[in-house]
Amino acid sequence: MDAGTLETMRTTLRGPVIGPRDTEYDRTRQVYNAMIDRHPAAFVPCADAADVMAAVNFIRDSGLELAVRGGGHSGPGLCLVDEGVTIDLSPMTGVRVDPVARTAEVGGGCHLGDLDHATHAFGLATPTGIISMTGVGGLTLGGGHGYLTRKYGLTADNLLSADVVLADGSFVTANETEHPDLFWALRGGGGNFGIVTSFTYRLHPVDTVGVAITVWPVDRTHDVLTWYREFLPRAPEDVYGFFAILAIPPGPPFPEELHGRKMCGVVWCHTGDLDHFEEALTSVREPGPPAFHFTSPMPYPALQSMLDRVIPSGYQWYWRGDFFDSIPDAAIEVHQKYGENLPTPLSLMHLYPVDAAAHRPGPDDTAWSYRDAVWSGVFAGVDPDPANAGAIRQWCVDYWEETHPYSMGGSYVNFMGAGEGQERVRATYRDHYDRLARIKRAYDPDNLFHANQNIRPAAMA
């Protein structure tokens, strides 16, 4: 972008436009993943839908590259494009809860922590992720799963309506009756179809939940995963537990003698009667006595932010993911091998359950195309030191390549890494891809919104 275009943008759009010579530029271009080092030509913070509409029109008519930032949590840094313009939704953090209707209207720039804080005041929540710094926008548009998924489904399953700015600068509301094809695509199709300025979610009674953390030495991975793969799918929907391979972080609730040790384990959330919480987890000793088993009732927002301090913003990240419908013995051997060889203390592997309530919608009800998946896996190399970027990336890629033959072929779109290719996008959407491409043609025929795991517009007949 030349200086004249930048100045025209500043005089045309309401509010600030942040360019490379502005003092806040370097801070603004920082995102959750410090491995991302891109230099957009400008950032346009937007306070409302009208700001977004004006920005979309200017960027499109100027022939500029466009990216969108909600929470800035994208692993591949898709909210930034070198020499392009990022529409920044971070000022749009309002949340309005209707406790009678059990709904929440949520601004497109909100983080999960903003949503949880507002809904918890009424003893309500909707399924989201597990890190409070995650943006609601990217999470929801990719499908969204977390501690409440087995009980109440995906985040996208609880989306009732979305306000969307389209590529032509127009504004629409998408729901089951208005723009139903667009609404279908938004529930899992990523940021391909427009900029969502407001989400309306269904809420559920959630207040204090039972939280547990159970860990074993990493050399027990075979025994623990063999037990977990049978126990979890058969457990009541009130019981959620994601399997993890990790190095124990320093600090509570872990005893000092475990700090830094490589472990496997499960992080549990129980949404049922707390009097039956311990009873629901009586079988955790079947794989052998755990090295540590912590249980406590906890306000739901506290659980949601529990991992924030362990993996804060500003570290080097590289991740990949896959869906799994089973965990065969051969895959368990791979998990044990890579768990015993974590490249850094913050690197990890998680298997998140996406069964139970997430299986109730029909396979074609939303763009999320893996209603038959049982787990959504992520492999993440993490470290604060840029010098270790190559090592954590290689560990992640190698781990993913050895487990991929046991996967279902595609991934949760929010766990896809950079540069995985168009065939990988197709594998993620399976039979839904062609329908998504037709909807893309209808709402974004010139592919203005392509800074994402891109669904290309279908060719005209």
Side-chain angles (χ1 to χ4, degrees), residues 1-2 5 9 41 55-67 81-85 167 446-448 450:
M1 187 193 302
D2 59 44
T5 303
M9 180 182 287
V56 166
N57 285 331
F58 186 95
I59 294 165
R60 183 197 63 244
D61 292 346
S62 300
L64 301 169
E65 294 282 305
L66 182 153
V81 177
D82 282 327
E83 301 304 322
V85 180
D446 296 321
N447 206 9
L448 179 68
H450 62 264

Side-chain angles (χ1 to χ4, degrees), residues 35 218 244-249 260-263 310-311 315-319 338-350 378-384 388-389 391-396 399:
M35 197 178 285
V218 73
I245 294 175
L246 75 165
I248 298 298
R261 288 186 58 186
K262 295 174 184 177
M263 294 279 179
V310 179
I311 40 179
Y315 285 0
Q316 306 283 311
W317 277 82
Y318 188 85
W319 65 42
Y338 281 89
E340 291 177 349
N341 292 280
L342 293 174
T344 62
L346 292 168
S347 296
L348 54 87
M349 187 282 293
H350 289 174
V378 64
F379 313 86
V382 190
D383 196 71
N388 291 327
I392 61 176
R393 185 188 188 283
Q394 193 61 54
W395 175 84
C396 175
Y399 194 169

Side-chain angles (χ1 to χ4, degrees), residues 12-280:
T12 302
L13 302 181
R14 185 184 73 151
V17 173
I18 301 169
R21 295 186 178 181
D22 294 319
T23 56
E24 62 266 48
Y25 176 80
D26 282 333
R27 176 184 57 80
T28 304
R29 72 183 186 88
Q30 292 173 3
V31 292
Y32 186 80
N33 183 1
M35 197 178 285
I36 307 303
D37 184 25
R38 299 195 182 119
H39 294 77
F43 292 88
V44 181
C46 294
D48 56 26
D51 286 352
V52 176
M53 294 164 70
V56 166
N57 285 331
F58 186 95
I59 294 165
R60 183 197 63 244
D61 292 346
S62 300
L64 301 169
E65 294 282 305
L66 182 153
V68 183
R69 178 162 68 186
H73 201 265
S74 165
L78 299 174
C79 51
L80 303 178
V81 177
D82 282 327
E83 301 304 322
V85 180
T86 289
I87 292 180
D88 185 358
L89 305 182
S90 59
M92 303 175 66
T93 57
V95 179
R96 184 183 183 277
V97 177
D98 183 335
V100 176
R102 290 185 177 175
T103 61
E105 297 178 17
V106 183
C110 281
H111 292 88
L112 306 190
D114 300 319
L115 172 58
D116 292 333
H117 170 77
T119 58
H120 186 69
F122 302 96
L124 299 169
T126 201
T128 55
I130 66 165
I131 300 287
S132 74
M133 297 175 287
T134 305
V136 299
L139 180 95
T140 304
L141 297 175
H145 57 69
Y147 294 114
L148 302 182
T149 290
R150 299 194 77 239
K151 180 73 171 179
Y152 296 121
L154 305 174
T155 309
D157 296 338
N158 291 275
L159 182 66
L160 300 174
S161 182
D163 292 341
V164 191
V165 175
L166 301 176
D168 64 2
S170 63
F171 175 91
V172 300
T173 296
N175 51 42
E176 292 285 4
T177 57
E178 302 174 87
H179 297 274
D181 277 352
L182 176 61
F183 186 57
W184 179 87
L186 292 175
R187 289 174 291 165
N192 277 281
F193 305 95
I195 301 175
V196 180
T197 59
S198 178
F199 300 84
T200 300
Y201 299 103
R202 178 187 302 110
L203 303 179
H204 305 274
V206 179
D207 194 345
T208 299
V209 296
V211 175
I213 303 172
T214 314
V215 297
W216 295 260
V218 73
D219 61 10
R220 302 297 305 279
T221 297
H222 183 276
D223 295 337
V224 177
L225 254 182
T226 300
W227 164 78
Y228 172 82
R229 70 184 179 186
E230 302 299 326
F231 170 80
L232 198 282
R234 298 174 183 173
E237 292 181 0
D238 282 323
V239 177
Y240 175 95
F242 75 81
F243 180 84
I245 294 175
L246 75 165
I248 298 298
F254 300 105
E256 188 174 353
E257 62 268 21
L258 294 185
H259 293 176
R261 288 186 58 186
K262 295 174 184 177
M263 294 279 179
C264 65
V266 184
V267 178
W268 305 97
C269 173
H270 185 262
T271 52
D273 187 338
L274 291 177
D275 291 338
H276 300 294
F277 174 38
E278 298 281 357
E279 178 185 343

